[in-house]
Amino acid sequence: MSDQKIVFLGTGGTIAGTALNALDHTGYTAAQVGVHDLLTALPGLKAGVGTGRYVVEQVAQLDSKDMGFDVWVKLALRVAYFLEQEDVQGIVITHGTDTLEETAYFLQALLGPAKPVVLTCAMRPSDALAPDGPQNLLDALVVASSATGCGVTVVCAGAIYGADDVQKIHPSRLNAFSAVDAGPIGFVEQGRLRLLRDWPHAQVNEMASGGLLVSQLADASWPRVEIVMSYAGADGTVVRALLKAGVQGLVVAATGNGTVHQDLETALVLAMQQGVKVTRATRCAEGRMLPGGNDALPAAPGLTPVKARIALMLGLMRAAPKSR
Ligand code: SIN
């Protein structure tokens, strides 16, 4: 519908980066160009900004390695606000690639939107000789404008990924993302969608957010939840130090099908006995942990360690929303 609006929210990243040399794809500075300027630099999008079909807002301007809870809350509040507007069809968020999968999962777990919320990015700065950001922006716009689209997705290098499955898997190539064995939701080809499977579910992930309201999040203090890894020689030293630091939740990046070094496991069981929430996520890049065995520690089967951490934080905040 032509009177429907698309909202563009800028947060920074390489898509907004600049370099001293147009051939430099590594030595650039992220988050230099405003999202308004990124859009108006594209002939196809400039008109939409001018007519008011596109609403453009700079929520943050940062290298996403430095993403923090304050920006997440600000972003979630703006996304929630725009989702409620009847004349908003979909939302595009420009974001750095490095923590993009965390922000995508956070928004999906918290908001489970019935409209499309599309995160997009770039691997080359905006002033590169051949930047990838402009095409990613155009492709994200196609997804955000889709009448059927819903849920939080990521669009990069022509592919569409679900927030639950997406992972950055490569440090430099243009198609840096994958949904590993889940596969992409589909592709954007010449401005058209080719879908392979369903959009993400339009519902709050109860396991992850437990129905936490975005308005509660604004006043919440975030629980300290850290990730520890199981590896050869891992023991409980880090866990004991984190207990002293007042950690409230621990995710163990476990080996294989969720196994944990016995010395680390002993420390984690002790942490649980002291009231710390502990969960296991596999450190394997693909697949999901299968149930079985006599596991001493609870599991987050379909989640990577960074996403399991977000689920645990949201769950802890939900468990004590009034006191925070
Ligand atoms: C960032 O994550 O903000 C920088 C790296 C990138 O966007 O590719």
Side-chain angles (χ1 to χ4, degrees):
M1 281 181 282
S2 57
D3 58 344
Q4 292 280 287
K5 292 184 169 53
I6 301 292
V7 177
F8 290 85
L9 302 177
T11 72
T14 295
I15 192 169
T18 56
L20 291 176
N21 174 341
L23 289 173
D24 190 350
H25 297 160
T26 56
Y28 59 86
T29 309
Q32 299 301 298
V33 183
V35 63
H36 185 272
D37 291 349
L38 292 179
L39 294 180
T40 52
L42 279 174
L45 297 186
K46 190 174 177 174
V49 179
T51 60
R53 168 153 160 75
Y54 303 152
V55 178
V56 187
E57 221 176 88
Q58 193 76 43
V59 173
Q61 186 68 300
L62 82 167
D63 186 322
S64 80
K65 73 179 175 58
D66 300 323
M67 183 55 72
F69 303 140
D70 50 344
V71 175
W72 270 0
V73 171
K74 202 171 162 196
L75 182 61
L77 287 169
R78 293 315 285 154
V79 171
Y81 168 80
F82 284 117
L83 285 172
E84 275 176 15
Q85 309 307 308
E86 271 181 25
D87 62 350
V88 167
Q89 189 171 11
I91 299 174
V92 174
I93 301 169
T94 56
H95 197 289
T97 60
D98 285 345
T99 58
L100 182 143
E101 70 211 59
E102 294 179 52
T103 301
Y105 178 78
F106 165 66
L107 292 174
Q108 174 66 24
L110 185 71
L111 302 170
K115 295 177 184 178
V117 175
V118 191
L119 283 86
T120 196
C121 56
M123 291 298 286
R124 293 179 181 165
S126 64
D127 55 356
L129 189 63
D132 53 327
Q135 188 62 53
N136 286 345
L137 258 180
L138 292 168
D139 290 347
L141 177 59
V142 172
V143 178
S145 310
S146 156
T148 60
C150 78
V152 180
T153 55
V154 170
V155 168
C156 183
I160 310 163
Y161 306 103
D164 287 356
D165 306 312
V166 69
Q167 292 180 52
K168 187 172 181 182
I169 56 151
H170 201 280
S172 60
R173 73 181 183 209
L174 297 190
N175 57 340
F177 288 89
S178 169
V180 291
D181 56 357
I185 292 170
F187 301 97
V188 185
E189 296 166 339
Q190 289 283 311
R192 288 213 173 90
L193 289 177
R194 178 162 67 90
L195 293 180
L196 305 180
R197 58 190 182 88
D198 290 344
W199 297 103
H201 293 302
Q203 62 184 17
V204 173
N205 180 343
E206 288 293 324
M207 283 303 288
S209 77
L212 182 74
L213 298 174
V214 71
S215 54
Q216 291 174 312
L217 201 64
D219 299 322
S221 73
W222 290 67
R224 176 179 277 270
V225 176
E226 301 289 349
I227 300 172
V228 296
M229 190 180 269
S230 186
Y231 42 72
D235 64 14
T237 308
V238 173
V239 172
R240 286 186 284 277
L242 288 169
L243 281 175
K244 275 196 191 135
V247 77
Q248 289 155 276
L250 285 167
V251 175
V252 55
T255 39
N257 193 40
T259 49
V260 178
H261 190 294
Q262 57 187 356
D263 297 340
L264 181 59
E265 186 174 275
T266 301
L268 288 167
V269 168
L270 210 65
M272 277 203 310
Q273 287 165 357
Q274 293 180 27
V276 174
K277 293 279 177 213
V278 177
T279 191
R280 283 176 298 127
T282 181
R283 61 177 222 189
C284 289
E286 296 198 27
R288 51 192 298 143
M289 295 186 301
L290 302 175
N294 297 318
D295 299 314
L297 307 169
L303 299 178
T304 58
V306 289
K307 290 179 183 176
R309 174 176 177 260
I310 294 166
L312 193 47
M313 286 190 294
L314 293 176
L316 282 167
M317 280 193 278
R318 190 237 174 194
K322 298 273 182 329
S323 62
R324 294 177 186 281

